[in-house]
Amino acid sequence: MELLDRKLPLDILMAERDEVLATWPTGQGAADLDAAFSYQAGCPPQKQFARVLQEAETDGATLMQPRAGVCLLASHITLLKRLQDEGQADLLPTTIDSYTRQNRYEDVNTGLTESQWEGRSLLNGFPAVNYGVAVCRQVSEAVGRPIQIRHGTPDARLLAEITLAGGFTAFEGGGISYNVPYAKNVPLERSLRDWQYVDRLTGLYAEQGIVLNREPFGPLTGTLVPPCIGHAIGVIEALLAARQGVQDITLGYGQCGNIYQDIAAVAALRRLARRYLERFDLGEVSLSTAFHQWMGGFPPEEDKASAVIALGALVAAASRATKVITKTPHEAIGIPTAEANIAGLRATQQILKMVGVQQPIESPAIEQETDLIERETTSILESTLQLGEGDWARGTVRAAEAGVLDVPFAPSRVLRSATVPARDLHGAVRFLEFGNLPLDDEVKAFHRDALERRARAEHRSVSFQMVTDDIYAVSKGWLVGVPR
Ligand code: 8ZB
């Protein structure tokens, strides 16, 4: 059957649930939905992700959330408590390990057993599926803040069943954003359909008055992704999620580094999401924004890394993003220790406190950049809708084939991968190659001109060398890549 953007019929969802829950023994623990509803209904207000986000959105505050997940239960709980108490994280994560992300639960078992033997984490996250509902509840009960599941899973149906029944109140991902940056060979029809399941399940909780938060993964490949790319995908995933009954959505954006462009990107994201949800009669959905501190390569030196973190905190606060996802001074090395994770939160908090009281940063240049991002994103969205003959799911599949939706540096074969980004003279991320993106001629001329001006200033021609230089620039102490 062709994939369409329609609310999944309940009987189809329920039949599919039986299959999903049967794929691993712990699935049965999530089978009783009424039990899951009544457990979630007992979640205190200060631990409800959607509620805490909406309060911040109303107050114009920016909340802090780290990434964190280890494999052993006691260590994971200790880690979250330290991030809450010593790091003062407003929102907590539980990052899932890579085997679980790939539905390789047998391999998780091996890693979990060995970790328990050795008494240290040999998996790169918390294996929620293998642990099952009861253990997830131990985690969610151990802390005083809302927790979100963060992962990178093309088929997250079982993970969602277990963690939502397990008391977590937010779930990251989407059918495009958790496919194309993370998988090579998963068809979009497949991942979009599997995420309709996740969203429909989230919607069932909402029907019971239990509003759980969903968040598409905005930064995608995290490598020089121009704002319009992540924005188009985020808006599509928001529309698809809302169609299935999701009531609270956070749209994310990964810091590019030019302050004007980054502030404009957050403003544009808000406006675009509102406009499209309203146009498709999904305007009842509550929206919020996530600002990801620099997702590209970090300087290896911890002091320099802290400075990059602080710049991200500044823009998060100045743009009034609802939350900022923090990085750590260990970013260049790998998964951070608790101490490094706390250091990232503390550096961020200092800046949020100092900047959050100031007026939001606005200027004509930011307005101009906001207009540009809205115009580009709208072009991509309208072409997608047209290709889908009015249907966002069908449109997404066709737009990816046509290169109308494309993501720089994505490993996925479902995309053309024909776009190439590079920075302009001021470090804003522009397009060097447009691939088949449906941008208008004026916009394309603007990008070409911006890169030409950089080339002249650097006494070289616009070329792929610039791109390589830009990819490493921040880690070497610059924003714009310098010729070697
Ligand atoms: C796409 C997200 C990448 C970022 C961090 C990476 C990187 C991944 C964990 C984690 C703390 C974990 N990350 N897994 N951070 N604990 N288990 O996500 O370091 O910054």
Side-chain angles (χ1 to χ4, degrees), residues 58-77:
T58 307
D59 298 347
T62 301
L63 305 176
M64 302 192 294
Q65 182 181 13
R67 296 183 171 91
V70 290
C71 141
L72 296 176
L73 173 64
S75 315
H76 186 59
I77 289 175

Side-chain angles (χ1 to χ4, degrees), residues 29-58:
D32 185 347
L33 259 184
D34 288 324
F37 294 153
S38 50
Y39 182 77
Q40 277 280 4
C43 177
Q46 73 275 13
K47 290 175 64 168
Q48 296 171 19
F49 216 101
R51 181 187 292 259
V52 171
L53 276 176
Q54 284 314 312
E55 269 172 27
E57 186 65 12
T58 307

